[in-house]
């Protein structure tokens, strides 16, 4: 733990005995003395961007089809100054949800293109790929957008490779890549020829007659040399027979041809489908995805216009397809059809290619370094994990570009190592300079732990127990384990966050742009029977948990916590709690409410929905229980019985089609949309739902912060109200309290400071699950 943290910890101990009259909240202190402090800080650390814009960059933004707001312009100016004039490899745009990060990123890429940083690759969540394409085309007049997210990704990458050195596109060029497609592997199979080779010499027992037997071996299809593998002596001299060719590794030919290694790949791409579809079938299948076009209409269009013409339109210019004319010059589709098709086709891509290949692997191997000058990483916090495939794939792309722009609304979730691997991927040179390098085993684990000790919170926990030695009567054994805690020290913020980050809050956009935003925390009182059953359940499960922990059994921890969190919201069905290993029955509760009987939280939800309907407002209701403990079906039934029109968004709706699906439901006149917050936590603009109700929140700070701001975004005209419901005196209220503490920590790296600066460190904090368990066991 750093000395700064130690000092602050001492300060905290010293001020605890003081009365409240002697303590000034940090926010009040900043308000009263902020001007003098700001002047001193600016003298000692002058800001990189002082509010005076670069005129050339302003002219580039003036030429955009959609003009950025003044606060957005300042953010773009600051980012470009950091990347170009300071020549930093990466910048972070830590902007609150709804401030227009996509718009600012597009404007930044356009300005960078004017500075000579051509071609921008965008990594996007899969359901936002086509939103990126739409916003780029709506913002930059002469932009060209490649979508590398469909089955034609390999064909497009090959086309890009073949065009190296050709005439450049006049204007910004964007390559939008879905993060799932980015890391996906591919299907392949061994590729070799058969070569007959003389084998062993055979003879008969009674004669001297011998004969030579020919055997089949695998050979390189290019040079004809036999494929050799390593023998037991370590030498590459074992020829391979066809039935024994390795199918789990991709080999290359190791033979020398004219003094050079052959290097021919001994594998080839393959499609998983058993049957290759004809062009006509592919075109028919593609057209049937479009609204208002069925199999008969598709077959008629192919018969009239031919599959080659239609394929070209669908692949390259969908608007030509929408405006298709017959031989008499009449439009084939009506205006109503055209409107529906245009909205749907903004989220569709039609693939007619054959084969697939991991996009990042292709870029790494076959495109030169710097071909893409810029990398925009949307929802950058999603790439923070060490061993995640998408994090490693992002790191590959980061090494191929000159400048990186990371977009996020929640830079960290409370722990210092949330930032470590993210920083290592976007600015490895800076991390190496600071001594965070690979160890002798090629791992960054040691460096990550050092980063936590230097800038974060690590707790060394000592446990004393009876030792195995009986040489003395007082023999003890002390074991030590290290656990991480939430918090990021001020030295880390000053070193790794402030110099590279541009902050933007919705309140900075301007009072005329966004309406009011209010949050309401509602303690719901349980019925007498419900409260009595909950207390009995809590007492019984807590006793079982304490006994299990005493025996060193931690397997009950998750079961007990999840049950106590879920039961108040799901007690309309019976609850059976069993030990996960022994299957012993720990507690049983019959259903407390019949199908048409409203529970207290459901009554509160219905009241909110009715009030909003009377005001002409729609409600977005979040429930985290949409799987085994599903509550969505019951909520829909109860609200419909009360006269409301309700829709439920499920995970079965494809990510790329969720925005359009929600718009269809709005067109049908729904009053309430029910869904799991995980399904809409990023990117979607739910402006039609100015009221949001959390029936539960779950544990994830990222998800909560993102989902709460789905409708308070640029373009919202109505005041936004967010309600958090929790049953009084239950684990749900404790969870809400802990989530608020974690959010306070995460805001310390988002440009906000809680009332007390010491709260930012939160030195005694654990994960929400552990904190809940501590409260439960202490009760």
């Amino acid at each position: 733990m750093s000395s700064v943290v130690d000092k602050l910890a001492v300060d905290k101990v010293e001020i605890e005995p003081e009365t409240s009259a002697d303590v000034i909240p940090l926010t009040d202190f900043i308000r009263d003395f902020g001007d003098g402090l700001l002047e001193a800080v600016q003298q000692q650390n002058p800001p990189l961007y002082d509010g005076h814009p670069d005129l050339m960059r302003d002219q580039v933004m003036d030429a955009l089809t959609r003009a950025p707001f003044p606060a957005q312009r300042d953010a773009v100016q600051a980012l470009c100054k950091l990347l170009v004039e300071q020549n930093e490899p990466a910048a972070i745009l830590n902007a609150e949800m709804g401030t227009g990060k996509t718009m600012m990123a597009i404007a930044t890429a356009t300005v960078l293109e004017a500075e000579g940083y051509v071609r921008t690759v965008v990594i996007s969540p899969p359901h936002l790929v086509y939103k990126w394409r739409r916003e780029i085309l709506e913002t930059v007049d002469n932009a060209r957008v490649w979508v590398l997210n469909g089955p034609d990704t390999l064909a497009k990458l090959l086309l890009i490779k073949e065009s190296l050195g050709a005439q450049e596109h006049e204007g910004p060029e964007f390559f939008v890549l879905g993060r799932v497609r980015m890391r996906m592997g591919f299907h392949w199979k061994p590729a070799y020829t058969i070569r007959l080779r003389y084998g062993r010499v055979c003879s008969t027992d009674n004669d001297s007659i011998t004969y030579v037997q020919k055997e089949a071996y695998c050979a390189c299809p290019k040079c004809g040399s036999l494929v050799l593998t390593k023998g037991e002596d370590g030498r590459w001299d074992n020829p391979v027979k066809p039935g024994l060719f390795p199918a789990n590794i991709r080999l290359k030919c190791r033979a020398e041809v004219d003094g050079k290694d052959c290097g021919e790949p001994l594998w080839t791409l393959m499609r998983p489908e058993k049957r290759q579809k004809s062009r006509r079938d592919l075109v028919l299948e593609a057209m049937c995805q479009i609204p208002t076009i069925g199999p008969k209409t598709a077959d008629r269009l192919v018969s009239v216009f031919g599959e080659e013409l239609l394929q070209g339109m669908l692949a390259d210019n969908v608007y030509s397809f929408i405006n298709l004319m017959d031989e008499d010059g009449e439009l084939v589709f009506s205006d109503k059809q055209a409107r529906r098709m245009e909205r749907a086709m903004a989220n569709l891509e039609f693939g007619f290619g054959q084969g697939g290949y991991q996009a990042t692997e292709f870029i790494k191997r076959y495109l030169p370094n710097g071909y893409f000058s810029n990398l925009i990483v949307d929802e950058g916090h999603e790439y923070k994990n060490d061993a995640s495939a998408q994090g490693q794939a992002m790191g590959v792309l980061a090494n191929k570009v000159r400048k990186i722009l990371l977009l996020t609304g929640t830079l960290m979730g409370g722990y210092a190592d949330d930032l470590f691997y993210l920083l290592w991927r976007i600015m490895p040179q800076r991390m190496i300079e600071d001594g965070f390098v690979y160890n002798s085993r090629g791992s960054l684990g040691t460096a990550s732990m050092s980063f936590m000790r230097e800038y974060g919170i690590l707790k060394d926990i000592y446990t004393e127990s009876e030792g195995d030695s009986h040489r003395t009567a007082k023999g003890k054994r002390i074991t030590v384990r290290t656990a991480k805690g939430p918090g990021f020290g001020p030295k880390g913020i000053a070193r790794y966050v402030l110099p590279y980050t541009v902050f933007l809050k919705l309140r900075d956009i301007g009072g005329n742009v966004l309406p009011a935003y209010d949050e309401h925390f509602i303690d719901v009182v349980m019925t007498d029977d419900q409260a009595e059953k909950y207390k009995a359940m809590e007492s019984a499960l807590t006793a079982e948990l304490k006994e299990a922990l005493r025996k060193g059994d931690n397997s009950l921890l998750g079961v007990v916590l999840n049950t106590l969190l879920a039961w108040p919201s799901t007690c309309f069905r019976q609850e059976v709690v069993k030990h996960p290993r022994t299957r012993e029955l720990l507690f049983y509760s019959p259903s407390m409410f019949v199908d048409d009987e409203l529970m207290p939280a459901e009554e509160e939800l219905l009241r909110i929905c009715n009030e909003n309907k009377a005001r002409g407002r729609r409600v977005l209701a979040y429930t985290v229980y949409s799987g085994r403990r599903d509550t969505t079906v019951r909520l829909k039934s109860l609200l419909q019985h009360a006269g409301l029109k309700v829709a439920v968004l499920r995970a079965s709706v494809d990510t790329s089609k969720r925005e359009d699906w929600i718009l269809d439901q709005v067109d049908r006149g729904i009053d309430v949309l029910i869904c799991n917050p995980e399904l809409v936590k990023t990117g979607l603009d739910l402006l039609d739902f100015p009221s949001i109700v959390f029936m539960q929140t779950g544990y994830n700070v990222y998800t909560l912060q993102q989902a709460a701001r789905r409708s308070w975004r640029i373009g919202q005209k109505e005041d936004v109200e967010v309600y958090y419901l929790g049953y009084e005196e239950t684990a749900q209220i404790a969870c809400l309290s802990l989530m608020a503490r974690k959010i306070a920590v995460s805001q310390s790296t988002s440009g906000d400071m809680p009332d007390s600066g010491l709260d930012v460190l939160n030195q005694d904090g654990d994960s929400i699950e552990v904190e809940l368990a501590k409260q439960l066991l202490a009760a």
Side-chain angles (χ1 to χ4, degrees):
M1 195 178 297
S2 67
S3 59
V4 175
V5 174
D6 293 336
K7 182 178 183 304
L8 288 172
V10 172
D11 292 343
K12 183 177 182 180
V13 173
E14 291 175 352
I15 66 173
E16 280 179 350
E18 301 291 338
T19 64
S20 58
D22 299 323
V23 178
I24 302 175
L26 186 59
T27 50
D28 294 344
F29 178 80
I30 295 295
R31 185 188 62 235
D32 295 339
F33 305 102
D35 292 340
L37 287 172
L38 182 61
E39 184 178 348
V41 169
Q42 288 179 338
Q43 289 178 353
Q44 297 177 15
N45 301 284
L48 180 62
Y49 176 66
D50 56 5
H52 295 89
D54 182 282
L55 295 181
M56 186 277 289
R57 292 168 186 160
D58 251 358
Q59 290 174 356
V60 174
M61 285 187 274
D62 287 337
L64 296 175
T65 308
R66 295 188 300 162
F69 292 109
Q72 294 175 327
R73 281 177 175 265
D74 285 339
V76 173
Q77 290 275 3
L79 290 168
C80 292
K81 194 160 189 175
L82 178 67
L83 292 170
V84 179
E85 296 178 17
Q86 293 297 115
N87 198 29
E88 293 292 349
I92 301 170
L93 178 58
N94 193 346
E96 200 170 12
M97 288 70 77
T99 52
K101 291 189 289 293
T102 304
M103 171 70 183
M104 288 183 279
I106 294 169
T108 302
T110 307
V111 173
L112 289 176
E113 193 271 340
E115 299 271 3
Y117 296 89
V118 298
R119 299 187 202 90
T120 299
V121 60
V122 179
I123 304 176
S124 161
H127 62 291
L128 300 181
V129 168
Y130 302 103
K131 182 183 177 185
W132 268 95
R133 178 177 69 174
R134 185 176 68 245
E135 294 213 16
I136 292 170
L137 294 175
E138 290 176 354
T139 305
V140 187
D141 197 26
N142 57 340
R144 180 163 71 175
V145 183
W146 299 71
V147 174
L148 305 177
N149 194 54
D152 273 354
T153 297
L154 176 60
K156 290 180 179 178
L157 288 171
L158 289 170
L159 186 62
I160 293 169
K161 181 186 175 186
E162 292 170 2
S163 66
L164 292 177
Q167 184 176 358
E168 300 288 342
H169 171 70
E170 293 185 4
E173 201 167 5
F174 294 84
F175 302 78
V176 186
L177 180 60
R179 70 172 179 230
V180 175
R181 172 71 62 174
M182 169 186 73
R183 62 172 170 79
M184 282 177 61
F186 49 90
H187 297 274
W188 61 275
K189 62 181 179 181
Y192 53 83
T193 60
I194 300 298
R195 177 176 163 187
L196 297 178
R197 181 187 181 192
Y198 289 110
R200 59 187 179 276
V201 177
C202 301
S203 63
T204 60
D205 293 335
N206 53 0
D207 294 315
S208 60
I209 300 173
T210 61
Y211 65 91
V212 177
Q213 179 178 337
K214 289 185 177 180
E215 294 185 349
Y217 290 93
C218 301
C220 172
K222 180 178 179 181
C223 67
S225 302
L226 292 180
V227 178
L228 302 177
T229 58
K230 189 182 292 187
E232 294 181 358
D233 57 358
R235 299 172 59 185
W236 292 81
D237 57 1
N238 276 1
V240 182
K241 294 185 177 182
L244 301 177
F245 194 93
N248 58 340
I249 55 174
R250 300 192 296 275
L251 298 177
K252 288 185 178 180
C253 180
R254 301 176 58 86
E256 284 193 9
V257 180
D258 298 331
K260 297 180 180 179
D261 288 340
C262 174
E264 176 72 7
L266 300 176
W267 57 274
T268 185
L269 292 172
M270 62 174 287
R271 291 184 68 84
E273 291 88 359
K274 296 180 180 179
R275 180 179 66 86
Q276 297 292 334
K277 296 179 180 178
S278 67
R279 176 189 287 183
R280 182 183 179 89
D281 289 339
L282 290 171
V283 172
L284 289 171
E285 185 180 278
M287 284 196 294
C288 287
Q289 298 179 48
I290 304 172
T292 76
I293 296 181
K296 292 184 178 180
T297 304
D299 188 68
R300 178 173 56 82
L301 290 173
V302 169
S303 300
V304 173
F305 297 100
E307 60 263 22
E308 185 174 353
L309 175 64
L310 295 174
Q311 176 182 323
M313 288 182 174
L314 292 173
D316 299 325
N317 193 346
V318 295
Y319 295 100
S320 295
F321 178 81
I322 294 172
N323 297 316
L324 196 63
M325 293 184 180
D326 59 21
E327 57 185 8
D328 297 325
E330 298 292 332
L331 291 171
V332 172
F333 305 111
S334 66
D335 290 343
K336 184 177 180 180
Q337 280 182 298
R339 282 195 298 270
R340 285 198 64 191
M341 290 165 60
E342 185 171 352
R343 190 172 76 179
M345 291 171 77
N347 296 323
L348 289 175
E349 185 179 11
F350 305 101
F352 305 102
Q354 301 291 323
Y357 194 84
Q358 186 173 341
T360 49
E361 184 75 8
F362 187 98
I363 293 171
K364 174 185 173 182
R365 288 174 177 268
Y366 301 113
L367 296 181
N369 289 339
Y371 177 79
F372 300 111
S373 294
N374 315 309
L375 172 65
I376 296 175
V377 184
D378 195 8
E379 302 298 339
H381 55 268
E382 300 280 359
Y383 304 88
K384 64 184 176 63
N385 292 330
D386 170 25
S388 70
Q390 65 187 26
Q392 293 171 351
M394 187 272 275
V396 169
L397 287 181
N399 284 326
K400 298 287 288 186
V401 302
R402 298 165 62 189
K403 302 295 179 185
I404 303 167
L405 175 58
L406 196 78
L407 310 180
T408 182
T410 46
L411 182 58
M412 67 178 293
Y415 297 94
D417 62 350
D418 287 346
L419 282 177
F420 176 76
Y421 291 101
L422 199 58
L423 293 170
W424 229 103
R425 284 167 181 146
I426 64 174
M427 50 180 72
Q429 190 60 41
R430 185 57 44 87
M431 301 296 283
I432 292 172
E433 291 172 1
D434 290 351
F436 301 111
V437 298
Y438 287 95
N439 59 22
S440 58
R441 299 187 302 276
S443 169
L444 282 173
T446 306
S448 174
M449 187 65 71
S450 300
F451 186 84
M452 284 287 293
R453 285 198 179 276
E454 183 72 17
Y455 303 112
I457 308 296
L458 281 180
K459 299 179 293 184
D460 293 327
I461 301 171
Y462 294 81
T463 304
E464 186 178 273
S465 60
E466 294 290 340
D468 296 332
S469 174
H470 300 284
R471 288 177 296 180
T472 65
K474 297 183 180 180
K476 300 288 184 181
R477 181 176 62 186
I478 297 177
T479 59
V480 184
R481 67 179 180 89
T482 302
K484 67 178 183 179
F488 195 49
K491 191 165 73 169
I493 294 174
R495 174 63 176 158
Y496 295 108
V497 178
L498 295 181
Y500 309 104
T501 306
V502 173
F503 299 99
L504 186 64
K505 295 291 181 181
L506 276 167
R507 61 175 178 265
D508 300 330
I509 298 292
N512 297 328
V513 177
L514 285 168
Y517 176 87
D518 288 314
E519 291 185 336
H520 309 275
F521 295 86
I522 300 175
D523 286 344
V524 180
V525 180
M526 291 191 287
T527 66
D528 292 340
D529 291 343
Q530 191 181 8
E532 183 180 349
K533 181 63 72 172
Y534 179 84
K535 291 184 183 300
M537 173 184 288
E538 183 181 39
S539 176
L541 292 181
T542 301
E544 293 284 352
L545 178 60
K546 287 181 178 179
E547 179 63 20
L549 292 176
R550 188 184 66 79
K551 298 177 180 177
D553 179 8
N554 297 323
S555 61
L556 269 183
L557 187 60
V559 174
V560 172
L561 289 180
N562 288 330
T563 301
L564 293 179
L565 274 173
W567 186 84
S569 299
T570 61
C571 57
F572 56 86
R573 60 166 62 94
Q574 66 176 3
E575 187 73 37
V576 180
V577 185
K578 294 184 178 180
H579 194 288
R581 288 210 303 260
T582 65
R583 310 309 299 168
E584 175 191 354
L585 180 65
L586 303 179
F587 192 85
Y588 172 77
S589 171
S591 60
M592 302 287 295
F593 297 86
V594 297
D595 291 343
D596 58 351
E597 183 182 3
L598 287 169
M599 293 172 20
E602 294 167 345
E603 289 181 2
E604 193 65 31
L605 173 64
L606 180 59
R607 180 190 66 79
I608 295 171
C609 292
N610 283 330
E611 286 182 359
N612 279 271
K613 183 178 181 180
R615 296 159 58 192
R617 294 161 57 95
R618 296 183 182 87
V619 175
L620 174 61
Y622 288 131
T623 174
V624 299
Y625 300 116
S626 56
R628 184 176 66 86
R629 299 177 182 268
D630 183 54
T631 58
T632 59
V633 174
R634 174 180 168 87
L635 289 175
K636 180 180 180 180
S637 175
L638 292 173
L639 294 177
Q640 284 181 334
H641 186 70
L644 297 167
K645 294 182 179 179
V646 186
V648 177
L649 174 63
R650 299 196 178 278
S652 56
V653 179
D654 188 78
T655 54
S656 63
K657 298 178 181 178
R658 282 175 192 164
E659 186 176 34
D660 194 54
W661 185 92
I662 293 171
L663 289 174
D664 281 340
Q665 301 305 315
V666 171
D667 289 344
R668 294 173 184 174
I670 64 168
D671 302 307
V672 184
L673 175 65
I674 301 172
C675 71
N676 190 310
E678 289 285 344
L679 300 181
V680 295
K681 67 178 182 179
T682 56
L684 295 181
D685 297 333
L686 303 180
L687 303 178
D688 295 298
F689 301 88
S691 294
I692 297 175
V693 181
F694 283 86
M695 301 298 289
Q696 311 88 24
T697 60
Y699 294 136
N700 195 308
V701 172
Y702 289 130
T703 299
L704 177 65
Q705 290 184 276
Q706 294 268 9
R709 301 297 176 85
R710 283 304 93 204
S711 62
W712 196 48
R713 310 173 75 79
I714 294 174
Q716 180 61 267
K717 304 301 180 186
E718 299 187 55
D719 293 348
V720 174
E721 297 176 351
V722 180
Y723 301 85
Y724 298 92
L725 307 186
Y727 280 101
E728 196 175 54
E729 297 182 356
T730 68
Q732 290 185 351
I733 291 296
C735 184
L736 277 170
S737 174
L738 292 170
M739 289 288 282
R741 288 176 57 192
K742 300 305 180 200
I743 289 172
V745 174
S746 71
Q747 285 177 338
S748 68
T749 57
S750 301
D752 276 355
M753 188 66 70
D755 285 342
S756 169
L758 299 176
D759 291 342
V760 175
L761 299 176
N762 195 17
Q763 296 180 43
D764 60 346
D766 288 292
S767 69
I768 291 176
E769 297 91 328
V770 174
E771 288 278 9
L772 278 174
K774 285 182 177 179
Q775 292 186 15
L776 182 66
L777 295 173

